[in-house]
Amino acid sequence: MAYDFEVIAKARAGDEEAFAALVKLHMPYVYRTAFAFVHRREEAEDAAQEVFIKLYRSLPQLKEVQAFPSWFKQLISRACLDRLKKGDVALLADTDIAGNSVPSVAEEAERRLIVREAIRKLNREHREVLLLREWQGYDYQEIAVLLGIPVGTVKSRLHTAREQLKKMLNPRGEPEGRM
Amino acid sequence: MMCEACWEHLEAYLDGELDGNEEKAMAGHLSECSSCQTQFSELETVRQDIAWAIENIPLPAGLENRVLASVFSGSCILRETTLDSGRPSAWKTGILLSLVLAPLLLLLHPLSVRVLSLGYGMSRVFGRGLYVLSGAIPPAWSMGLGLAGLVVMGLSMYFIWKLVQAIPVREAAS
């Protein structure tokens, strides 16, 4: 994610135009992250909305603008984890992806769908650890704190998630690689 | 480094969780061992696949506007409420004060004094009745009733506190 600290400072001071610019800049990351966690369009939209409402309310309390990136990332992660915990989202069909996707190259789009479908098939514990590490870039210790589990459990869950994903993406044991 | 040791640390190496020496040993082994290098590449590919798949999730049309509308509409109500409660205007304060003080002035009327006196007499009778009744109840029962009363009082105070916390004005102010 790219950050514009001048815009963040203005938004923090109550400038609504700056806040709108902040929403515009970060919406793709927030929505896509939420979708990766919950795999349902309405749920992801609600999560994105929740994230920005919380941001609007709590941004004035942020002391250091430089702390915004990690603070905002945690706000997003916590909202997504809460959604994942609350709803039975893992069992919902992934039809929204297929419905929205307009592939420019059919095979690439199909591959992307396969990867997303594989992430969706992971159970909640494995999906959240995998996304926090591979997509959001948290280290083991940060994930352990976010989820309230030991670092050893983070490692073992991450290992299982990666193994399962590898199997699903490469069921016949063929060499990996994009189409 | 042996391959078994390499496999054990492969994911930690990918995740940047190894210390300097371990990292050097891993890099050295991977540069020499094609089998371990293949496994490492598989892990890297999984990471790239995840990022690539998520980066291409299509965004719903008009999402920004919907979110902004809900953010600003919610906040406007909160801000008005906060301003009202924070700096009440002079006439509002006047009305509120007169509403509170008017019943006190009414108490000075002779009729009010008579009603109060009657109420006092009745409350004495009522209090006496309660006292006699409480004497008839066994001590264990009255102790139990007292404790139950305290618990109910505590619970109701907790719920009132929760209710106050749920009021939007508090959210905006906090």
Side-chain angles (χ1 to χ4, degrees):
Chain A
M1 273 198 290
Y3 295 96
D4 186 334
F5 290 106
E6 204 179 313
V7 172
I8 295 165
K10 279 184 186 171
R12 187 180 61 168
D15 183 334
E16 292 195 347
E17 265 184 45
F19 188 82
L22 212 59
V23 172
K24 196 179 164 78
L25 182 65
H26 297 295
M27 180 59 87
Y29 179 81
V30 172
Y31 175 77
R32 285 174 179 143
T33 304
F35 197 108
F37 273 90
V38 300
H39 278 260
R40 196 161 170 248
R41 185 181 152 173
E42 293 80 16
E43 196 78 21
E45 279 199 31
D46 287 351
Q49 184 168 309
E50 187 189 322
V51 164
F52 285 110
I53 288 174
K54 279 185 179 167
L55 176 69
Y56 190 71
R57 284 183 186 169
S58 47
L59 190 58
Q61 292 151 30
L62 181 73
K63 285 176 187 162
E64 292 289 328
V65 175
Q66 300 300 323
F68 181 84
S70 64
W71 176 78
F72 185 46
K73 194 168 87 168
Q74 285 208 11
L75 196 125
I76 300 165
S77 309
R78 287 188 199 281
C80 293
L81 289 170
D82 282 350
R83 293 251 157 202
L84 200 55
K85 211 180 280 180
K86 265 189 247 165
D88 202 5
V89 286
L91 300 172
L92 293 165
D94 202 5
T95 48
D96 292 321
I97 295 171
N100 283 334
S101 187
V102 185
S104 52
V105 181
E107 283 182 344
E108 278 213 343
E110 194 187 337
R111 174 74 179 166
R112 286 199 292 262
L113 284 178
I114 290 168
V115 176
R116 286 178 211 152
E117 183 63 16
I119 297 170
R120 188 186 71 84
K121 280 181 180 168
L122 295 173
N123 71 21
R124 179 170 69 84
E125 289 174 346
H126 294 137
R127 194 196 300 174
E128 60 191 16
V129 169
L130 187 84
L131 291 171
L132 289 172
R133 172 61 229 158
E134 301 287 49
W135 171 246
Q136 295 206 275
Y138 286 105
D139 65 31
Y140 295 170
Q141 183 60 42
E142 288 171 328
I143 297 172
V145 171
L146 266 173
L147 298 176
I149 55 174
V151 172
T153 312
V154 171
K155 283 186 201 173
S156 64
R157 281 187 193 172
L158 191 56
H159 175 73
T160 311
R162 279 169 166 155
E163 286 302 311
Q164 288 182 358
L165 208 67
K166 267 201 280 181
K167 268 185 206 161
M168 282 189 268
L169 297 179
N170 196 19
R172 289 173 206 159
E174 291 159 1
E176 285 273 346
R178 282 179 201 161
M179 290 181 203
Chain B
M1 179 184 268
M2 303 294 286
C3 287
E4 284 83 1
C6 175
W7 297 338
E8 203 180 305
H9 295 115
L10 207 55
E11 285 182 57
Y13 177 65
L14 175 82
D15 296 330
E17 297 274 346
L18 294 180
D19 64 34
N21 289 336
E22 287 174 320
E23 210 172 90
K24 269 184 195 167
M26 282 294 289
H29 179 78
L30 286 174
S31 65
E32 292 163 0
C33 177
S34 63
S35 159
C36 288
Q37 180 58 50
T38 307
Q39 288 203 31
F40 184 70
S41 302
E42 277 183 12
L43 284 172
E44 273 186 319
T45 308
V46 168
R47 171 170 293 176
Q48 286 160 8
D49 273 344
I50 292 168
W52 178 66
I54 297 175
E55 276 161 12
N56 285 290
I57 289 172
L59 296 173
L63 178 60
E64 274 166 31
N65 291 337
R66 284 199 295 282
V67 166
L68 278 173
S70 74
V71 167
F72 291 142
S73 64
S75 66
C76 285
I77 294 162
L78 289 177
R79 281 179 178 192
E80 278 165 17
T81 325
T82 317
L83 282 177
D84 274 358
S85 59
R87 284 183 296 172
S89 57
W91 64 271
K92 274 187 186 169
T93 316
I95 289 175
L96 269 171
L97 275 174
S98 23
L99 277 173
V100 172
L101 293 174
L104 290 174
L105 290 171
L106 278 176
L107 286 177
L108 296 174
H109 194 275
L111 192 64
S112 310
V113 176
R114 275 170 185 268
V115 169
L116 278 174
S117 160
L118 188 68
Y120 174 69
M122 281 180 75
S123 67
R124 276 193 69 185
V125 172
F126 184 67
R128 182 78 195 155
L130 264 182
Y131 178 73
V132 171
L133 197 68
S134 65
I137 299 172
W141 274 76
S142 71
M143 188 75 155
L145 280 171
L147 282 174
L150 275 174
V151 170
V152 170
M153 207 167 77
L155 273 174
S156 50
M157 280 174 77
Y158 172 75
F159 284 122
I160 289 169
W161 180 64
K162 280 277 165 196
L163 272 175
V164 169
Q165 272 198 326
I167 296 171
V169 179
R170 288 288 298 256
E171 276 182 39
S174 63

